[in-house]
Amino acid sequence: MRRSVSLRLVAIFGFVFLYAPILSLVVFSFNESKLVTVWGGFSTKWYAALLEDQQILDAAWISLRVAVMSATLATVIGTLASYALARFGRFRFRMLLSGAVTAPLVMPEVITGLSMLLLFVALEGIFGWPAGRGVDTLVIAHATFGAAYATVVLGSRMSALDRSVEEAALDLGARPLRVFFDVTLPALAPALISSWLLVFTISLDDLVVSAFVTGPGASTLPMVIFSKVRLGVSPEVNALATLVIAAISVVIVLASWQMRRAAAQTR
Amino acid sequence: MTEAIAARGARPWEDPAVAPFLQIRNVTKRFGSYTAVNDVSLDIYRGELFCLLGGSGCGKSTLLRMLAGFETPTSGQILIDGEDMSGVPPYLRDTNMMFQSYALFPHMSVEKNIAYGLKRDGVKRAEVATRVTEMLSLVQLDGLAARKPHQLSGGQRQRVALARALIRKPKLLMLDEPLGALDKKLREETQRELIKIQETLGVTFVVVTHDQEEAMTLSTRLGVMTAGEIMQVGTPHDVYEYPQSRFVADFIGSVNLFEGRIAGDFEDHATIHSPDTGSEILVSHGISGVKGQPVAVALRPEKIAIERRLPETVANRLRARVEDVSYMGNLSVFHVTLPTGKPVKVSQTNRLRSDDDAIRAGEEVEIGWDGAASVVVTA
Amino acid sequence: MRLRALAGWLRIEGRAAVVAVPLVWLGLFFLLPFVVLAKIAVSESVIARPPYLPIWDWAEGVLNISLNFGNFQFLTEDPLYLLAYLGSLKMAAVSTVIALLIGYPMAYVIARAPSNRRNILLMLVVLPFWTSFLLRVYAWIGILKGNGLLNGLLMATGIIHEPLVILQTDFAVYLGIVYSYLPFMILPLYSTLVKLDEALLEASADLGARPFVTFVTVTLPLSVPGIIAGALLVFIPAVGEFVIPALLGGPKTLMIGSVLWNEFFSNRDWPVASAVAIVMLVVLVLPIGLLQRTQSEKEENA
C-alpha cells in the first residue's frame, strides 16, 4: 500500500510537471505588469495589443490556411496509404510504402526541412516549379509529414475494424468502391476527424520545417512567435498562447465527446 | 423456386438423374506452405441444408469463404448451378453469407441493413419496402426496423443478419457458425426456426459449425472435416450409425474402439480377434477386408447392455469391473474395465427415479452387445 | 463474361491507384529530397543563388562530374562538429533516461487505474501534446529566468537568497526535452502495461513474490518492448532538436540541430549544412531501424 502511495506521488508530480508551465502562461497573460514574476493586477491589455499586431495577425492567417489545406491533403493521402497497408495484404512496394509512411514520424525536423527545401530549389531550377517558396511549399511539406501521422491514426482504426463487415457488403452486391463509401468510410469517420485535427494542430505549430521551406513574405505564426520570444518573455505571446490553448481545448473536448458517442454506437 | 427437401424424405443424392446444384471439384487452398483445404470434392443438391462439421482450423470456414468468393482456390473448381465460379467476385455471385460475427453495418438501422442488398441490385424503392417488411415478419422482428444494431440483443442481431442474407433470394445461402454466439436455450429454438425458414424459402443452405449436435439437428446431410479434408459425407443417421473411420466414429458422439484383426469372414457374420477384449468379437453384418487385416470395432456406449448377469443369448459377453458411475440426469455412464485392462464406457437411460438395486462402483458385472450393434472401421 | 472481365480489371486498377497516390507523393516529397540532400552535400559552396555549384556540367560533349567531399572533411577538421554530435547524443541519452524514470511510474499508475478513470488520465497525458510545442517550451523561459517564477518561489519560501542561474544552461535544455517528449515515453509504456494480464501479477504474488520482486521479475521484463519504443521515440527527435536549445540553452550548449540551423541560416553554407544532415542521418540510422523493427513486430503480433 505504501509503495502505491509513493508511485502515485510520482504520477501527480508528473502531471504537475506537464501542466504547471501551461497554467503559468494563461495566468500571466492577464497580468497588468510586463514583468512575469510581479503580479500587477488583472488586465486584458495584452489581448488588445495582440489584436493590433498586424505582423502576428498576418502570420496567423497564413498558418491557418496552410493548416487547413495540409490537414485535408494529409488525411486523403493517409486514408489511401492506411487502406492499402491494412487491406491489400502483400503487394509490390509494400515495404517502401510502409517505410515512407513511418519515417517522417521519427526524422529530426531539421533534416526533413533542409532536404525538402533543397528539393524545392532543385525542382525550381529544372522545371521552374514551384516558383519561389511560400504557402504552396508550406502546404506540400506539412501535408507530407502530416500524412505520416494521419496514416498511423487511421491505420490503427482500420485494423480494428471487423473485416467481415466489408465482406458482408461485397457479398450483398456492392462493388469495392461502393463498399468503401458505404461501410469503410462511415466506420472511419471518428478517426478521420481526429487525424484531420492532429495534422491541423501539428501544421499550425510547426516551426523548423516551415522556417526551411517558406520564403520571404510568408512567415508562419510559430516563426513570428519564435523571433519574438528569442529575445525574452513577451506578454503578448502569453495572450496568444492562452487563446491557442483555449481553442484547442474546446476542439478536443468536442472531438472526444463525439468520438465517445460514435464508439458507443459501434459496440 | 424449387421445393426444399421439405419432407426430408427425398434423397436427391441417391438419384443419378438429379444434377448436383453445387459442385466442388478437387478444390485445394494453400496459404503459403500451409494447406487449409486439401483436394476436397463435394456435391450438394438443390434444397439441401448441408452442414460442414469440424473442429477449429479444419478448413471448413476457408471452404465456405471460397464458395462466397472471398478466397480463390489454389487449384480446383467450384460450380454453382452449372456455372464455373472462378474469377467471379463476391458481388457478382448469386450467393449470400451470414457471417459468424453477423457483420451488421453498425451505422445503419435494421431496415437499412436488410435493404442493403436489394438496393445494390437496383430494386425499386416501393418493392424494397414491401420485401423488407415481409422479411422482418419472417424472422419475427416486426417493429424493430428503426433500431440500430447496438440496440438489439444477440438473438435479434442474428435474425437481422439472417434476414439481410436472405432478402436477395440467393441461390445458395452460407451460414458461418450461425448459432455460435447464442446461449444453449436460444440456440435450440433458433435451430428449429432456421429449418422452418429454409423449408419455406427452399434456398440451399451450407452451414459451417463445430457443434455436432447442431449439425445433426439441422442438416439433411453433413460432411465431417479435419485437417483440410472431408472424412465422410452422409445423412446424420448414416454418419452416426455407420462411421467409416475411427476419426468420424470418435468425433461424432462417444464411442468405444476395440482394435483387432479380421479372424473369420463368413456368409452371415464375421469375427474380429481383439487383444483389447481378449476375445473374438462377433459382427453380424458383412465386412470388406481380408483375413488378418487390422481393423477396429466401433461401439456406441448406449448400445452396450450392462447387468450383474447377462443371458447367454447375447452374442458378445465380457466380464468387467465397474470403476466409476457418472450420473448425468437422463442417463448414467458406467466406466468399466475389462480383465485386459481396456476401459469401456457404457450408458444406460435412467428410467426409475431411484433404484436401490442399481449397479455401483466396484461391482463385478457383465457387459454385452448384439452382433448388429457394432461397426467395423478400417480407416 | 465481359462484365466479369471488367470487374476484375477495375479491381486491379483501383488497387494500383490506391497504392500509387500515397507512394508517388511520399516518394516525390519525402524520399527524393534525401537524394537531393546527398547531392548537395557533395557540391561546392559558392556565393550565388542557389549557393552551390552543380555536381556535373556538360560542355562540348564532355560530361564532368565533380564530387566534392571537402564538406565532410571539413566536419572532421573543426572540433566544433564532433563536439556538437557528442553533445547531442549525451543530451538525448540523459533526457531519455530521466523521461523513463518519470514516465514509467506515470504509465504504471494510469494502466492500473480503474478503467473509467484510465481514459481521463490518458487524455491528460496527451492533451499537452496537442497544445503548441513552441509555446510550451516558451513557458519555461518565464519560469526559469533569473527573476522568473521558480526563483521567485524559492526565494519567497527562503530556500535560497540569491536567484539561481537556470535558464541558458544545459540543465534547462534537459528539462525542456524531458518536458516536451514525456508523452512519447508514456504512451508506448502505457500500451504495453495495460495489456499486462493482472492474473500474472496475482500468480506471482500467490507463488510468494513480494510486490517489488513481482515488479522486477514479471512486470519489468514484459514491458521491455514499451521501454524500447518509448526510449527511441524520445531519443531520436531529441538528437536533432533545435527549438529547445535555441530557447532554453546557453552559448555553451552545443547541439547538432543548432549547428545545422546556423550553417544554413547564418552562414548560408548549404553544402556543409547538408553534410551535417547526412552525418546525423548515419548516426540515427541504427536507432531508427530499431524503432521500425519494434513497430512492425508489434503490428505482426497485434
Side-chain angles (χ1 to χ4, degrees), chain A residues 90 162-176 178-179 181-184 186-187 264-267, chain B residues 65 68 70 90-92 95-97 99 101 103-108 116-117 120-121 148 150 157 164-165 168:
Chain A
R90 278 178 214 166
D162 181 2
R163 211 171 164 166
S164 57
V165 178
E166 286 166 90
E167 287 178 344
L170 276 178
D171 185 62
L172 293 165
R175 276 143 215 280
R178 178 101 219 175
V179 174
F181 283 105
D182 278 1
V183 178
T184 317
Q265 271 190 21
T266 52
R267 217 159 276 151
Chain B
R65 289 172 60 79
F70 297 126
Y91 49 88
L92 294 180
T95 62
N96 281 118
M97 174 135 160
F99 290 80
S101 64
L104 299 179
F105 306 128
H107 54 297
M108 294 185 199
Y116 191 85
R120 298 289 79 74
D121 289 347
K148 289 277 185 73
H150 68 100
R157 279 183 220 186
R164 187 180 68 175
R168 292 170 86 205

Side-chain angles (χ1 to χ4, degrees), chain B residues 6-18:
Chain B
R8 302 241 161 170
R11 295 178 150 240
W13 51 89
E14 285 175 353
D15 183 352
V18 179

Side-chain angles (χ1 to χ4, degrees), chain A residues 221-238:
Chain A
L221 191 57
M223 288 167 69
V224 172
I225 294 173
F226 184 69
S227 64
K228 276 187 190 293
V229 303
R230 243 192 150 165
L231 309 170
V233 177
S234 145
E236 228 176 87
V237 174
N238 283 0

Side-chain angles (χ1 to χ4, degrees), chain A residues 12-208:
Chain A
I12 289 168
F13 166 79
F15 280 114
V16 170
F17 179 57
L18 281 177
Y19 282 91
I22 298 173
L23 208 65
S24 77
L25 280 185
V26 175
V27 170
F28 283 97
S29 75
F30 294 106
N31 191 3
E32 170 77 31
S33 159
K34 202 173 163 62
L35 292 167
V36 173
T37 32
V38 188
W39 179 255
F42 182 85
S43 159
T44 52
K45 72 174 181 186
W46 303 114
Y47 290 88
L50 186 68
L51 291 176
E52 276 163 23
D53 190 329
Q54 197 56 41
Q55 194 196 7
I56 283 191
L57 293 180
D58 288 346
W61 177 233
I62 288 176
S63 279
L64 273 177
R65 270 156 61 208
V66 170
V68 167
M69 286 189 276
S70 51
T72 310
L73 252 173
T75 304
V76 171
I77 299 168
T79 306
L80 294 172
S82 58
Y83 189 76
L85 290 174
R87 288 287 182 267
F88 290 176
R90 278 178 214 166
F91 57 90
R92 246 193 309 175
F93 307 125
R94 187 196 168 87
M95 284 300 289
L96 188 65
L97 183 61
S98 75
V101 142
T102 45
L105 297 176
V106 293
M107 194 57 67
E109 286 178 296
V110 281
I111 301 182
T112 312
L114 175 62
S115 49
M116 278 187 182
L117 166 80
L118 295 177
L119 174 85
F120 292 138
V121 171
L123 285 180
E124 191 184 7
I126 300 168
F127 303 107
W129 177 91
R133 287 172 297 284
V135 172
D136 292 355
T137 47
L138 282 171
V139 170
I140 292 174
H142 289 193
T144 303
F145 65 72
Y149 287 92
T151 308
V152 170
V153 172
L154 291 163
S156 65
R157 173 76 190 150
M158 194 103 61
S159 46
L161 282 186
D162 181 2
R163 211 171 164 166
S164 57
V165 178
E166 286 166 90
E167 287 178 344
L170 276 178
D171 185 62
L172 293 165
R175 276 143 215 280
L177 197 64
R178 178 101 219 175
V179 174
F180 182 76
F181 283 105
D182 278 1
V183 178
T184 317
L185 219 50
L188 280 183
L192 287 172
I193 293 170
S194 49
S195 138
W196 194 91
L197 286 175
L198 181 65
V199 180
F200 179 82
T201 52
I202 290 173
S203 162
L204 208 56
D205 189 34
D206 175 75
L207 166 68
V208 175

Side-chain angles (χ1 to χ4, degrees), chain B residues 244-272:
Chain B
Q244 288 163 359
S245 60
R246 293 176 178 85
F247 176 81
V248 173
D250 196 33
F251 186 78
I252 310 246
S254 179
V255 78
N256 296 297
L257 287 170
F258 302 122
E259 300 292 336
R261 286 171 189 280
I262 300 177
D265 192 356
F266 308 97
E267 205 157 298
D268 61 340
H269 73 278
T271 52
I272 313 288

Side-chain angles (χ1 to χ4, degrees), chain B residues 148-180:
Chain B
K148 289 277 185 73
H150 68 100
Q151 297 167 315
L152 300 177
S153 72
Q156 289 167 334
R157 279 183 220 186
Q158 191 262 356
R159 285 147 195 271
V160 177
L162 182 63
R164 187 180 68 175
L166 278 171
I167 199 159
R168 292 170 86 205
K169 298 179 181 152
K171 288 183 186 168
L172 182 65
L173 184 73
M174 287 157 287
L175 303 96
D176 191 356
E177 302 277 3
L179 311 172

Side-chain angles (χ1 to χ4, degrees), chain C residues 79-98:
Chain C
L80 166 85
Y81 297 101
L82 182 67
L83 288 176
Y85 281 116
L86 291 177
S88 285
L89 290 176
K90 190 187 111 193
M91 283 276 177
V94 172
S95 311
T96 304
V97 172
I98 299 172

